[in-house]
Each structure stands twice: as structure tokens, then as C-alpha cells.
């Protein structure tokens, strides 16, 4: 709908300011809100700038995948100055002033329109979490820039990464808090509470961006909450003491803990360091499901829960708003009424939401895209490293490379808490948990994506097959080429005291830092190498066999790399996840039991 038919400029819905450029076939966002003015192409936000004021602004869709600095940019405000999208709120981080929306220049030459495969949208919303990215058209990019002011940001210090994306794997902590904010949420959560980490997912994206693992962390997991440092508004810092034997959900909100404390708690449990966090509250589920027009769900039986007021028929139906929130919070309608069964429903809901977001019905509807982006950014709180729309766009384009069929959902392996006569809480499964964490640390896929690559490296993998020496016969010199101070010494202590490798020696720091741990050995030390590889979880790629046999009491050389996370932690996990771990794919619909 053209803005001129809406009357006063203040009454204009930004979602109605999309126009179809007949020259490109792309939807573009009209940034001029003044009633009665000509709707000429020069008033339309496009991706092709001229680098001159007053030049033609009509062009093709944005190119460069959201990369910053891809060509010159120039602000061109409307006569009445820049306008904000209705409902904007300021961010908690200090980001400087905002002008009019500023699409990137793509140069003077007219470019071909982007193909539809570039038009991607990705949403995570399981329980109480969400993140939306709208990309692919010039209008979408400009609009996303305008929504910058919706985003809240929190400084988590060293708990996360300073970079938006990394060359290696990426780990994003999705946190849904039960803090009661907003109209209609009075009946949820603890009255007066600052909120807990009610729904938490560690989202691991592989280095090659072919696959991702979304691991849910039970709120009732008993663990140690480590000491953490929080940043205050006046610039000072507060150190919050750690507490042993606490529920995981108290890592947020309680005793002044912020999401950085939750990030550190996750790292303490898994050995996987989150790069960023994204947090939302109850309002996200209600507003996002309404914005997308509802989410398809499937029930194996009719649901009638008087506690959550959830009523759903058997089979497929659509939920949104309060009904969607009730579905994600109910414990009494599925399985054995535990939080673990509720997590399964949340994962199924999340998969359905991702499929809805990637559907053509959503991607080709500009008004729906705007409402979704507006609702998501208003609900979203992130760390300052990704605390603006441009950075979120960059991050999301990396994540958007992952095919939906290669996103695996699963729950952290746990067992009943043995310290409780009648278990109410859970603890990490000491065997399956460490195996899964090791797979994530070593970037091993839970799908079949990387299994083909491993098959092509059969010769290298064969180095791990064969007889293994006794621990007492293993001789190894250990050097530290990683990031952890004293890693060589702690590893030798662990090898000697826990594994019986008494002929291990601390050789201090390596001549230079390395990314991947390596084990150099002679052909006649192959049995020793295989034994050590099994103890430490070394991958086949770490095995560096020489050509000449060792003489006398010559030792192998183990050089710890940046992938080493601590003595006793496997450097890589098994090729496949532990048995009995249920996992689901984001591209498959499942009926909740």
C-alpha cells in the first residue's frame, strides 16, 4: 500500500511502505513519510547508490551479503529529518545517534536482482527464545537498520567473544527468561523475581557451516555456578561469588547474575565457550507467533490442561500468542510430566517455527517480514559485541548457511540426582555427557554431513586402529602450544596420576602457538601413540607418524593446541553421538506425545 493513501505521516504503518520496483522486480522500502509528495524512485531506499547527493537511487537488490565496508555509503535523510519506526526503544548499550536508514552502496553499475535463494529468514524460538533475520532485498536491509533501536545489549566482558563471527565454529547461547514483564504476563514466573534461565539452548554452528547442534540444558540441572563478574551502569564491576550445588536456572537473575554468568556456567559444565548470547522473555513467544501468523504443531492425543489453560485437538493445528506460550510452558500434558518432556515439545515447536520462517509464504510477504523483524528485535537482548542490526545481520548470514535438515536438536544427557532420596533434580551423565561435549568441542557433526569427509580420509583414520601399548610403556614429552597457562604441567599430572603414564615429561611451552593438538611418533611407537590417543580423545588428524623408527628410550612428542580445553577433557569425541540419545532434525515434523 502506498504511504500517500494513509493520511498523516504519523499514522503510517512502516509495513505498508513497501513498493515493487518494476525495473528490478524487488520489493523496496519507501523511506519518505511526507504526505502528498511524489513517490519518485529517488525517494525509495535501494541497494544501489551513486556516491553523489541527488543521484539516482533506483537499483537492484543488495549485494555483498551484509558485509560492512563493501562500497561507499552516504546518509540521505528526508527533509524533516530521520524518523524512527513506531515503538522503538533505546538500547542499554551506548551506541551513538542514529540517522535515517542507510542501505549499502553497490556501486554505479546496475546489478542483476538477487536470486530467491539469497532471501533467507531464520528464527529460533523454543520455549521463550527468538532471533529473526530478514535478508536478501534492499528494502529488507534498510528496514532492519531502522529497527536497530529495538535491540537491548548487555556488556558481558570476557564471557563472550569480541568478534561478530569467527573463522572456526561458533557457539551461541539462547536464553529464555521467566521474568514477568509486559501486560498479560502477571500469572507467569515468580512474583518480584529478576528471572531465571528458564529455557536454555547451546547452539553450535560448525566451522564449515554445513551443520549445527542445538543442545537444550535442563533448568533443574544441579551444577556449580562459577564466580562471575558483571558490569554496572556506572562503569564499575561487581564480582559475584560462585556457589556449588545449585540449579542451573539460578545462573541468571539471582544474586545479580547477568547472562554473562550463564555463559560462564555453560562453559564450566561443557568446556564449550559461548561466543554470544541472545535472550528473550515471555512476550517473545506471544508476539513472534502472532507476527508469523501461527505455528503448526501436532498432538498425538487431545490436550486439555486446566493449569496452563491449553486445549488442542489431536493431530495438526496452529498456535500463536497465549496459546503458544501455554504449549511451551505446560508440564502436565506430555510424557511423565517432567521438564525433560517439556524440552522435547519446545524442540519440536522450534523446528516447526524454523520451517515456517523459511517458507515462501513468509519470505515473499514484505508486511509479514516487517512485523516479524519488529517483534523479534523488540523482544531481543544480546551481548554488546552483536548489539546492533548490522552485526546481527552479519552473524545471521553465517548461521543461515546451515541447511535446515542438518540442524540437530537434543537434550544434554543427564541422570537422576543421586544425592536426593526421591530425585527431583538431575546431574550430567558422567559418561554420555562428556562424550557429547567432546563432540561439540571438536566440531563433530551429529548428522551425516561430515561422515562422508571422514570416509575419504580412511588412510589417516587407520592410524588409530591396531594394538595399544600398556599405559606404563607409553613415553611422551608434553609441550604447551595452546592458550591455557600451565597446560603441559596439568596434563602430565593427569596422565601420571589418573592414567598411569608415569613416563610422561613436562617440556613447558612449545616454540609457537598452534590451533590443533598434534602427536609426533615413530613407526615403532604406533602402539604407544594409539594408547595415548584413546586416553586423550585425539582425532586421527592429530597423528603425525614419522618415517624412521625411534631409538632407545626416545619419547613421543605431544603438543597441545588451542583445541585443548583442560586435563581430562577429551580433545575430540566419538564419530557418532552416544547410544540412547534422542535427537531430532529441524526439517521433520513430529507429533508431541
Amino acid at each position: 500500500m502506498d504511504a500517500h493513501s494513509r493520511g498523516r505521516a504519523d499514522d503510517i504503518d512502516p509495513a505498508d511502505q513497501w513498493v515493487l520496483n518494476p525495473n528490478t522486480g524487488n520489493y523496496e522500502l519507501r523511506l519518505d513519510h511526507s504526505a502528498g509528495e511524489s513517490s519518485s524512485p529517488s525517494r525509495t531506499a535501494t541497494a544501489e547508490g551513486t556516491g553523489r547527493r541527488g543521484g539516482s537511487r533506483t537499483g537492484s537488490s543488495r549485494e555483498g551479503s551484509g558485509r560492512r565496508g563493501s562500497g561507499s555509503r552516504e546518509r540521505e535523510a528526508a527533509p524533516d529529518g530521520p524518523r524512527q519506526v513506531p515503538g522503538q526503544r533505546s538500547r542499554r548499550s551506548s551506541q551513538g545517534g542514529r540517522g535515517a536508514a542507510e542501505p549499502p552502496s553497490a556501486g554505479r553499475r546496475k546489478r542483476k536482482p538477487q536470486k530467491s535463494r539469497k532471501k533467507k529468514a531464520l528464527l529460533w524460538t523454543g520455549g521463550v527464545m527468538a532471533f529473526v533475520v530478514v535478508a536478501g532485498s534492499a528494502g529488507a536491509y534498510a528496514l532492519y537498520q531502522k529497527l536497530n533501536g529495538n535491540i537491548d545489549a548487555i556488556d558481558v566482558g570476557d564471557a563472550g567473544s569480541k568478534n561478530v563471527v569467527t573463522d572456526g565454529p561458533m557457539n551461541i547461547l539462547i536464553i529464555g527468561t521467566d521474568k514477568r514483564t509486559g501486560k498479560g504476563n502477571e500469572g507467569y514466573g515468580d512474583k518480584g523475581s529478576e528471572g531465571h534461565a528458564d529455557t536454555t539452548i547451546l547452539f553450535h554452528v560448525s566451522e564449515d557451516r554445513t551443520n549445527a547442534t542445538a543442545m537444550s540444558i535442563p533448568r533443574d540441572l544441579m551444577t556449580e555456578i562459577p564466580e562471575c563478574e558483571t558490569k554496572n551502569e556506572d562503569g564499575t564491576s561487581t564480582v559475584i561469588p560462585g556457589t556449588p550445588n545449585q540449579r542451573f536456572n539460578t545462573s541468571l537473575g539471582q544474586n545479580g547474575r547477568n547472562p554473562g554468568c550463564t555463559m560462564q556456567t555453560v562453559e564450566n559444565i561443557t568446556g564449550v565457550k559461548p561466543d554470544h548470547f541472545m535472550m528473550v522473555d515471555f512476550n517473545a513467544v506471544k508476539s513472534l507467533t502472532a507476527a508469523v501468523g501461527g505455528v503448526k504443531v501436532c498432538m498425538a492425543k487431545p490436550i486439555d490442561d486446566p493449569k496452563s489453560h491449553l486445549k488442542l485437538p489431536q493431530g495438526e493445528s496452529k498456535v500463536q500468542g497465549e496459546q503458544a506460550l501455554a504449549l511451551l510452558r505446560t508440564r502436565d500434558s506430555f510424557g511423565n510430566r517432567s521438564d525433560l518432556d517439556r524440552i522435547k515439545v519446545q524442540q519440536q515447536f522450534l523446528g516447526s517455527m524454523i520451517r515456517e520462517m523459511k517458507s515462501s509464504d513468509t519470505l515473499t510477504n514484505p508486511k509479514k517480514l516487517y512485523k516479524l523483524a519488529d517483534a523479534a528485535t523488540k523482544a531481543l537482548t544480546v551481548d554488546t559485541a552483536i548489539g546492533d542490526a548490522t552485526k546481527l545481520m552479519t552473524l545471521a548470514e553465517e548461521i543461515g548457511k546451515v541447511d535446515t535438515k542438518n540442524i540437530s536438536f537434543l537434550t544434554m544427557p543427564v541422570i537422576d540426582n543421586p544425592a536426593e532420596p526421591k530425585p527431583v533434580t538431575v546431574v550430567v551423565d558422567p559418561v554420555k555427557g562428556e562424550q557429547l561435549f567432546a563432540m561439540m568441542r571438536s566440531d563433530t557433526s551429529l548428522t551425516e554431513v561430515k561422515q562422508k569427509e571422514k570416509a575419504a580420509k580412511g588412510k589417516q583414520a587407520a592410524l588409530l586402529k591396531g594394538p595399544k601399548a600398556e599405559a606404563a610403556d607409553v613415553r611422551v614429552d608434553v609441550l604447551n602450544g595452546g592458550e591455557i597457562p600451565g597446560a603441559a604441567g596439568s596434563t602430565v599430572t593427569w596422565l601420571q596420576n589418573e592414567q598411569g603414564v608415569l613416563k610422561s615429561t613436562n617440556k613447558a611451552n612449545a616454540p609457537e602457538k598452534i590451533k590443533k593438538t598434534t602427536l609426533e611418533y615413530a613407526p615403532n611407537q604406533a602402539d604407544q601413540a594409539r594408547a595415548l590417543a584413546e586416553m586423550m580423545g585425539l582425532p586421527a588428524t592429530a597423528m603425525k607418524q614419522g618415517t624412521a623408527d625411534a631409538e632407545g628410550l626416545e619419547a613421543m612428542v605431544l603438543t597441545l593446541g588451542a583445541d585443548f580445553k583442560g586435563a581430562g577433557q577429551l580433545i575430540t569425541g566419538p564419530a557418532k553421538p552416544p547410544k540412547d540419545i534422542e535427537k531430532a532434525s529441524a526439517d521433520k515434523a513430529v507429533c508431541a506425545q
Side-chain angles (χ1 to χ4, degrees):
M1 180 183 294
D2 191 277
H4 304 295
S5 65
R6 299 296 300 271
R8 294 177 61 248
D10 291 341
D11 296 329
I12 294 172
D13 181 351
D16 289 333
Q17 298 173 55
W18 295 79
V19 294
L20 181 66
N21 188 330
N23 295 323
T24 65
N26 286 332
Y27 283 101
E28 297 170 349
L29 177 67
R30 191 183 309 288
L31 295 179
D32 185 6
H33 305 289
S34 301
E37 292 187 4
S38 171
S39 57
S40 64
S42 63
R43 295 292 185 180
T44 302
T46 70
E48 183 169 275
T50 64
R52 300 184 305 234
R53 292 189 180 274
S56 173
R57 305 291 293 177
T58 303
S60 62
S61 60
R62 179 180 64 89
E63 295 200 359
S65 302
R67 294 172 185 167
R68 301 165 68 181
S70 58
S72 61
R73 300 187 182 185
E74 187 170 1
R75 285 188 171 88
E76 186 171 330
D80 295 332
R83 292 177 51 82
Q84 287 186 319
V85 175
Q88 280 191 334
R89 56 197 170 113
S90 60
R91 296 183 300 160
R92 286 195 289 269
S93 63
S94 56
Q95 294 292 334
R98 298 181 181 88
E102 183 184 354
S105 171
R108 298 185 183 182
R109 295 180 60 190
K110 185 173 181 180
R111 300 182 186 274
K112 295 181 180 180
Q114 293 274 10
K115 294 182 180 180
S116 59
R117 66 183 178 84
K118 290 283 188 179
K119 297 181 179 179
K120 293 184 177 180
L122 175 63
L123 169 70
W124 301 307
T125 175
V128 281
M129 67 175 186
F131 173 47
V132 172
V133 170
V134 180
S137 74
Y141 183 80
L143 178 58
Y144 201 76
Q145 287 288 73
K146 286 177 70 66
L147 295 175
N148 205 27
N150 286 351
I151 305 167
D152 285 345
I154 294 176
D155 187 352
V156 296
D158 295 332
S161 172
K162 304 301 182 184
N163 300 319
V164 177
V165 298
T166 64
D167 293 334
M170 295 192 301
N171 299 293
I172 301 166
L173 193 64
I174 314 298
I175 306 171
T177 174
D178 58 0
K179 184 176 181 179
R180 304 193 318 177
T181 57
K183 184 178 180 181
N185 294 327
E186 295 82 3
Y188 304 121
D190 299 331
K191 186 175 182 179
S193 170
E194 289 297 318
H196 304 77
D198 189 71
T199 299
T200 307
I201 291 182
L202 179 59
F203 196 83
H204 172 85
V205 183
S206 68
E207 180 174 1
D208 60 10
R209 311 301 189 240
T210 62
N211 64 92
T213 300
M215 182 181 71
S216 296
I217 304 175
R219 66 192 301 276
D220 294 328
L221 176 74
M222 296 301 288
T223 187
E224 176 187 2
I225 310 297
E227 177 184 284
C228 61
E229 183 177 342
T230 61
K231 303 290 185 179
N232 304 317
E233 292 184 1
D234 61 2
T236 61
S237 299
T238 299
V239 176
I240 302 172
T243 52
N245 201 33
Q246 294 287 315
R247 273 183 167 86
F248 172 81
N249 68 341
T250 63
S251 64
L252 174 70
Q254 312 309 299
N255 301 322
R257 297 186 180 109
N258 69 12
C261 298
T262 306
M263 295 170 74
Q264 289 176 267
T265 302
V266 170
E267 183 179 4
N268 193 53
I269 296 170
T270 65
V272 177
K273 181 179 176 64
D275 296 297
H276 304 291
F277 85 86
M278 298 176 184
M279 181 175 69
V280 293
D281 58 21
F282 292 137
N283 290 320
V285 173
K286 295 192 289 186
S287 61
L288 287 166
T289 53
V292 80
V295 176
K296 289 182 181 179
V297 295
C298 180
M299 301 295 112
K301 60 182 180 180
I303 302 298
D304 187 356
D305 181 9
K307 291 184 179 180
S308 65
H309 308 292
L310 176 65
K311 290 186 178 182
L312 290 173
Q314 182 177 359
E316 284 193 353
S317 57
K318 269 195 172 185
V319 296
Q320 63 177 291
E322 289 286 351
Q323 193 177 35
L325 183 57
L327 171 64
L328 297 177
R329 288 188 55 77
T330 182
R331 286 176 182 246
D332 296 331
S333 301
F334 308 103
N336 61 7
R337 301 182 177 182
S338 71
D339 185 53
L340 298 180
D341 287 304
R342 181 171 66 169
I343 286 174
K344 293 178 184 178
V345 176
Q346 293 171 348
Q347 292 172 347
Q348 292 164 9
F349 181 89
L350 171 54
S352 181
M353 177 65 91
I354 291 176
R355 292 192 298 274
E356 179 66 31
M357 283 299 307
K358 288 203 168 189
S359 69
S360 58
D361 181 57
T362 299
L363 295 178
T364 58
N365 188 327
K367 189 167 184 177
K368 182 179 285 190
L369 284 176
Y370 166 76
K371 289 183 176 179
L372 191 56
D374 187 45
T377 50
K378 284 179 179 177
L380 191 64
T381 300
V382 299
D383 56 285
T384 51
I386 54 173
D388 66 56
T390 303
K391 293 176 181 178
L392 281 174
M393 177 71 77
T394 301
L395 175 63
E397 285 175 342
E398 281 292 296
I399 298 170
K401 297 174 183 178
V402 181
D403 194 310
T404 307
K405 68 181 181 181
N406 294 328
I407 300 177
S408 298
F409 297 99
L410 72 161
T411 303
M412 177 183 288
V414 295
I415 58 174
D416 288 339
N417 188 351
E420 297 174 342
K422 186 177 180 180
V424 176
T425 61
V426 294
V427 295
V428 175
D429 186 310
V431 177
K432 296 179 181 178
E434 175 53 32
Q435 290 177 338
L436 179 60
F437 304 157
M439 289 184 71
M440 297 179 76
R441 291 194 299 265
S442 62
D443 197 27
T444 302
S445 174
L446 271 69
T447 69
E448 295 301 317
V449 176
K450 290 190 176 180
Q451 303 307 318
K452 295 178 182 179
E453 296 178 8
K454 290 183 178 181
K457 299 177 181 178
K459 184 177 180 181
Q460 184 70 21
L463 296 176
L464 294 174
K465 298 178 181 179
K468 300 177 181 65
E470 296 294 327
D473 296 327
V474 174
R475 293 179 178 272
V476 60
D477 292 339
V478 183
L479 291 86
N480 183 15
E483 304 296 331
I484 302 175
S490 63
T491 298
V492 168
T493 299
W494 175 77
L495 286 172
Q496 293 180 349
N497 295 340
E498 302 295 332
Q499 301 298 314
V501 183
L502 302 180
K503 299 170 184 176
S504 53
T505 306
N506 175 12
K507 292 295 185 178
N509 292 330
E512 59 183 5
K513 300 288 185 181
I514 59 174
K515 290 185 176 181
K516 302 290 185 180
T517 297
T518 62
L519 177 61
E520 300 173 72
Y521 62 98
N524 62 342
Q525 295 173 323
D527 59 340
Q528 297 182 48
R530 287 190 285 266
L532 187 64
E534 183 178 60
M535 296 176 198
M536 299 195 62
L538 296 178
T541 53
M543 310 293 281
K544 307 298 180 184
Q545 180 174 286
T547 56
D549 283 344
E551 298 180 0
L553 302 179
E554 185 177 349
M556 301 181 295
V557 178
L558 174 68
T559 306
L560 304 174
D563 56 349
F564 175 81
K565 301 303 179 184
Q569 293 191 25
L570 299 177
I571 290 177
T572 188
K576 296 182 179 180
K579 293 181 179 180
D580 304 325
I581 288 185
E582 295 184 36
K583 65 184 182 76
S585 173
D587 69 330
K588 295 180 181 179
V590 180
C591 290
Q593 300 282 337

Short mmCIF file of all heavy atoms in Angstrom, two decimals, residues 6 11-18 29-30 33 84-86 143 146 370:
data_model
loop_
_atom_site.label_atom_id
_atom_site.label_comp_id
_atom_site.label_asym_id
_atom_site.label_seq_id
_atom_site.Cartn_x
_atom_site.Cartn_y
_atom_site.Cartn_z
N ARG A 6 -2.60 6.90 3.26
CA ARG A 6 -2.78 6.65 4.69
C ARG A 6 -3.03 7.91 5.49
O ARG A 6 -3.13 7.87 6.71
CB ARG A 6 -1.54 5.92 5.25
CG ARG A 6 -1.28 4.58 4.63
CD ARG A 6 -2.41 3.61 4.93
NE ARG A 6 -2.54 3.43 6.37
CZ ARG A 6 -1.86 2.50 7.05
NH1 ARG A 6 -1.05 1.70 6.42
NH2 ARG A 6 -2.02 2.38 8.34
N ASP A 11 0.59 8.37 11.12
CA ASP A 11 -0.29 7.22 11.18
C ASP A 11 0.15 6.10 10.24
O ASP A 11 -0.51 5.08 10.12
CB ASP A 11 -1.72 7.63 10.81
CG ASP A 11 -2.31 8.63 11.81
OD1 ASP A 11 -1.92 8.52 12.99
OD2 ASP A 11 -3.11 9.48 11.41
N ILE A 12 1.26 6.29 9.57
CA ILE A 12 1.69 5.32 8.57
C ILE A 12 2.28 4.09 9.24
O ILE A 12 3.13 4.18 10.13
CB ILE A 12 2.75 5.95 7.63
CG1 ILE A 12 2.10 7.07 6.82
CG2 ILE A 12 3.32 4.90 6.69
CD1 ILE A 12 3.09 7.86 6.01
N ASP A 13 1.83 2.92 8.82
CA ASP A 13 2.41 1.66 9.26
C ASP A 13 3.63 1.39 8.39
O ASP A 13 3.50 1.26 7.18
CB ASP A 13 1.39 0.54 9.11
CG ASP A 13 1.92 -0.80 9.58
OD1 ASP A 13 3.13 -0.90 9.86
OD2 ASP A 13 1.11 -1.74 9.68
N PRO A 14 4.85 1.31 8.98
CA PRO A 14 6.04 1.08 8.14
C PRO A 14 5.92 -0.17 7.28
O PRO A 14 6.55 -0.26 6.23
CB PRO A 14 7.16 0.94 9.18
CG PRO A 14 6.65 1.70 10.37
CD PRO A 14 5.18 1.49 10.38
N ALA A 15 5.11 -1.12 7.74
CA ALA A 15 4.99 -2.35 6.94
C ALA A 15 4.28 -2.09 5.62
O ALA A 15 4.38 -2.89 4.69
CB ALA A 15 4.22 -3.39 7.73
N ASP A 16 3.52 -0.98 5.54
CA ASP A 16 2.79 -0.68 4.32
C ASP A 16 3.60 0.18 3.35
O ASP A 16 3.08 0.62 2.33
CB ASP A 16 1.48 0.05 4.65
CG ASP A 16 0.48 -0.88 5.31
OD1 ASP A 16 0.57 -2.10 5.05
OD2 ASP A 16 -0.36 -0.40 6.09
N GLN A 17 4.85 0.48 3.67
CA GLN A 17 5.65 1.38 2.85
C GLN A 17 6.55 0.63 1.88
O GLN A 17 7.55 1.14 1.42
CB GLN A 17 6.49 2.29 3.75
CG GLN A 17 5.60 3.16 4.64
CD GLN A 17 6.43 3.92 5.62
OE1 GLN A 17 7.34 4.64 5.22
NE2 GLN A 17 6.14 3.80 6.88
N TRP A 18 6.19 -0.62 1.58
CA TRP A 18 6.94 -1.42 0.61
C TRP A 18 6.36 -1.18 -0.78
O TRP A 18 5.14 -1.20 -0.97
CB TRP A 18 6.84 -2.89 0.95
CG TRP A 18 7.48 -3.26 2.24
CD1 TRP A 18 6.98 -3.08 3.49
CD2 TRP A 18 8.74 -3.87 2.41
NE1 TRP A 18 7.85 -3.55 4.42
CE2 TRP A 18 8.95 -4.04 3.79
CE3 TRP A 18 9.74 -4.30 1.53
CZ2 TRP A 18 10.09 -4.61 4.32
CZ3 TRP A 18 10.87 -4.87 2.06
CH2 TRP A 18 11.04 -5.02 3.43
N LEU A 29 11.73 -0.44 0.26
CA LEU A 29 11.11 0.30 1.36
C LEU A 29 11.12 1.79 1.07
O LEU A 29 12.18 2.38 0.86
CB LEU A 29 11.86 0.03 2.66
CG LEU A 29 11.35 0.78 3.88
CD1 LEU A 29 9.96 0.30 4.26
CD2 LEU A 29 12.31 0.61 5.05
N ARG A 30 9.93 2.45 1.07
CA ARG A 30 9.84 3.89 0.86
C ARG A 30 10.14 4.57 2.19
O ARG A 30 9.44 4.37 3.17
CB ARG A 30 8.45 4.28 0.37
CG ARG A 30 8.38 5.73 -0.11
CD ARG A 30 6.96 6.09 -0.52
NE ARG A 30 6.37 5.14 -1.43
CZ ARG A 30 6.71 5.00 -2.70
NH1 ARG A 30 7.67 5.75 -3.21
NH2 ARG A 30 6.13 4.10 -3.47
N HIS A 33 8.23 9.75 4.46
CA HIS A 33 6.93 9.62 5.08
C HIS A 33 6.06 10.86 4.87
O HIS A 33 4.97 10.95 5.41
CB HIS A 33 7.09 9.40 6.58
CG HIS A 33 7.97 8.24 6.90
ND1 HIS A 33 7.59 6.94 6.69
CD2 HIS A 33 9.25 8.19 7.37
CE1 HIS A 33 8.57 6.11 7.04
NE2 HIS A 33 9.57 6.84 7.46
N GLN A 84 11.91 7.45 13.33
CA GLN A 84 12.04 6.13 13.92
C GLN A 84 10.80 5.31 13.64
O GLN A 84 9.71 5.83 13.48
CB GLN A 84 12.21 6.23 15.44
CG GLN A 84 13.58 6.75 15.85
CD GLN A 84 13.73 6.70 17.34
OE1 GLN A 84 12.82 7.03 18.08
NE2 GLN A 84 14.88 6.29 17.80
N VAL A 85 10.99 4.02 13.59
CA VAL A 85 9.85 3.12 13.48
C VAL A 85 9.03 3.23 14.76
O VAL A 85 9.59 3.26 15.84
CB VAL A 85 10.33 1.67 13.30
CG1 VAL A 85 9.16 0.72 13.30
CG2 VAL A 85 11.10 1.56 11.99
N PRO A 86 7.71 3.31 14.69
CA PRO A 86 6.91 3.40 15.91
C PRO A 86 7.22 2.27 16.87
O PRO A 86 7.38 1.13 16.46
CB PRO A 86 5.47 3.28 15.37
CG PRO A 86 5.57 3.76 13.96
CD PRO A 86 6.92 3.36 13.48
N LEU A 143 15.17 -1.61 6.27
CA LEU A 143 14.22 -1.70 7.36
C LEU A 143 14.87 -2.27 8.61
O LEU A 143 14.64 -1.81 9.72
CB LEU A 143 13.04 -2.59 6.93
CG LEU A 143 11.96 -2.83 7.98
CD1 LEU A 143 11.38 -1.51 8.45
CD2 LEU A 143 10.86 -3.71 7.41
N LYS A 146 16.66 0.28 10.40
CA LYS A 146 15.77 1.17 11.14
C LYS A 146 15.32 0.55 12.46
O LYS A 146 15.02 1.25 13.42
CB LYS A 146 14.54 1.53 10.29
CG LYS A 146 14.83 2.51 9.16
CD LYS A 146 13.61 2.77 8.32
CE LYS A 146 12.57 3.59 9.09
NZ LYS A 146 13.03 4.95 9.38
N TYR A 370 8.27 -7.46 7.90
CA TYR A 370 8.44 -6.30 8.78
C TYR A 370 7.93 -6.59 10.19
O TYR A 370 8.60 -6.33 11.19
CB TYR A 370 7.73 -5.06 8.23
CG TYR A 370 7.63 -4.00 9.29
CD1 TYR A 370 8.75 -3.24 9.63
CD2 TYR A 370 6.46 -3.81 10.02
CE1 TYR A 370 8.69 -2.31 10.65
CE2 TYR A 370 6.40 -2.88 11.03
CZ TYR A 370 7.52 -2.13 11.35
OH TYR A 370 7.46 -1.22 12.36
#
